Amino acid sequence: MSTQTLLLSVFKYKAWANEGLFAELAKVDAVTRQSERHSVIRLLNHIYIVDRIFAAHLSGEVHGYTGINTPETPTIEELRSAVVKSDRWYVEYIGKLAAERFPERPRFTFTDGVSGCMSREEMLVHVATHGDYHRGAIGLLLPQASVHPFTVYLHKAESR
């Protein structure tokens, strides 16, 4: 399996997991579960900001973020829309990236001002595993809000 094929599969899963997570989060009562809901939105926003920072590194663009989260907390609807676009960007980016470009090592600057250099494939793996890590934390928060996480991706993806 090629790097491109593997990463494309991973990022399609990431988009699916995000979509399902936002659907479950929408079921959380905003009044009685305000604290849990806010914590989940902050974690999802952090994942999104890091995704956008690395998208800028991959594109050679300036991202404009000064930290790994924003001071303000977006609404679920705003964040969901932004995450859908970001997930789509990654799937399209990976799908169009020539095989010889995956090992390229662009230089960039972390939000704390430290210089960095990672291969494109390392950046993509970081984005995928970073999101998985935090979605795992969210998986521990959701049952406290009477929402139970879902784990059926392979059943659905493999049944096609």
Side-chain angles (χ1 to χ4, degrees):
M1 177 180 289
S2 72
T3 298
Q4 184 176 40
T5 300
L6 178 59
L7 287 170
L8 200 51
S9 173
V10 167
F11 276 82
K12 286 179 180 179
Y13 164 78
K14 183 180 184 313
W16 174 86
N18 284 336
E19 182 181 319
L21 193 50
F22 275 102
E24 293 301 310
L25 184 56
K27 298 175 186 176
V28 175
D29 187 285
V31 175
T32 62
R33 299 298 185 176
Q34 181 180 6
S35 176
E36 295 94 338
R37 192 172 186 267
H38 180 76
S39 294
V40 170
I41 294 169
R42 293 300 297 167
L43 278 169
L44 287 169
N45 194 55
H46 164 68
I47 295 167
Y48 169 74
I49 297 303
V50 171
D51 285 3
R52 297 320 307 150
I53 288 170
F54 275 90
H57 296 335
L58 289 162
S59 301
E61 298 173 359
V62 176
H63 53 72
Y65 293 104
T66 58
I68 55 174
N69 212 330
T70 56
E72 69 285 344
T73 302
T75 66
I76 291 176
E77 296 78 19
E78 292 168 337
L79 187 56
R80 184 179 200 167
S81 176
V83 168
V84 166
K85 289 177 189 172
S86 182
D87 286 343
R88 190 177 309 125
W89 182 90
Y90 274 99
V91 169
E92 290 173 6
Y93 175 83
I94 293 165
K96 292 177 182 175
L97 192 64
E100 64 272 7
R101 297 205 58 210
F102 282 95
E104 289 178 349
R105 300 180 59 81
R107 296 197 172 279
F108 56 88
T109 304
F110 288 102
T111 57
D112 63 3
V114 175
S115 295
C117 182
M118 298 168 72
S119 71
R120 292 180 191 286
E121 55 203 347
E122 287 171 327
M123 284 191 244
L124 290 164
V125 168
H126 174 74
V127 167
T129 57
H130 172 261
D132 283 346
Y133 172 81
H134 287 299
R135 277 192 305 277
I138 291 167
L140 295 174
L141 290 171
L142 286 178
Q144 296 172 27
S146 300
V147 175
H148 298 283
F150 51 96
T151 55
V152 296
Y153 179 76
L154 287 178
H155 297 296
K156 291 182 179 183
E158 296 299 321
S159 66
R160 293 182 208 152

